[in-house]
Each structure stands twice: as structure tokens, then as C-alpha cells.
Amino acid sequence: MEKLKGKIRLVEVGPRDGLQNEKKIIATEDKLTFIKMLIDAGIKNIETTSLVRADKIPQMSDGIEVAQGLKNYLSHED
């Protein structure tokens, strides 16, 4: 196996892509707990939500609340 050169950036998309397809609306607090657990597990790059029309993707209707709930939890490192 050839050794890779450079860096690979992995991005966890479960909180956005994975949850947006769920039929039952997941509570904002449960989403925040899920995301915080991913952060605590060491995942650095997470797509947490999407600011979209609630009538099109109801699961993401709390996007602003999710973002606000994480503002003191996240670092802004690259």
C-alpha cells in the first residue's frame, strides 16, 4: 500500500444529512447532545445543520437554535 502524502479532511455529516431524512422530528436538545458527543469523541469537522425552508425539510427547522446551542461549545480552529 502506497503511503499517502498530504492531509485528508474527514467531515461528519450525520447531524445534517442523516437527520434531515428522519420522519419523526428530533428535539433540538437531542440534536445538540448528539453533536456534542461527536465533538467529545474527537471529530473536528461536523456539518451540524442547514438553514433551509422548514416546509421543505422540517427536520432542519431549528437550524438557528442548533447553531446558537453550540456557539459556546465549538472552537473556530481550521
Side-chain angles (χ1 to χ4, degrees):
M1 182 174 193
E2 183 179 332
K3 186 175 180 179
L4 297 174
K5 296 178 182 176
K7 293 182 179 182
I8 296 174
R9 181 175 180 234
L10 299 177
V11 179
E12 170 59 50
V13 298
R16 185 183 63 80
D17 278 354
L19 296 182
Q20 75 181 7
N21 294 314
E22 293 296 318
K23 300 294 181 205
K24 181 181 174 194
I25 299 296
I26 298 169
T28 303
E29 283 305 314
D30 291 337
K31 292 177 186 178
L32 290 170
T33 297
F34 174 46
I35 295 164
K36 289 174 182 179
M37 289 172 71
L38 292 171
I39 295 167
D40 291 344
I43 298 174
K44 302 281 186 203
N45 301 293
I46 305 169
E47 291 185 11
T48 58
T49 192
S50 184
L51 302 177
V52 296
R53 289 177 42 178
D55 62 327
K56 298 295 182 188
I57 305 177
Q59 195 65 260
M60 297 290 112
S61 64
D62 61 350
I64 291 173
E65 291 82 3
V66 169
Q68 288 175 336
L70 294 169
K71 69 180 178 183
N72 294 324
Y73 202 82
L74 301 174
S75 74
H76 296 285
E77 297 176 11
D78 290 333

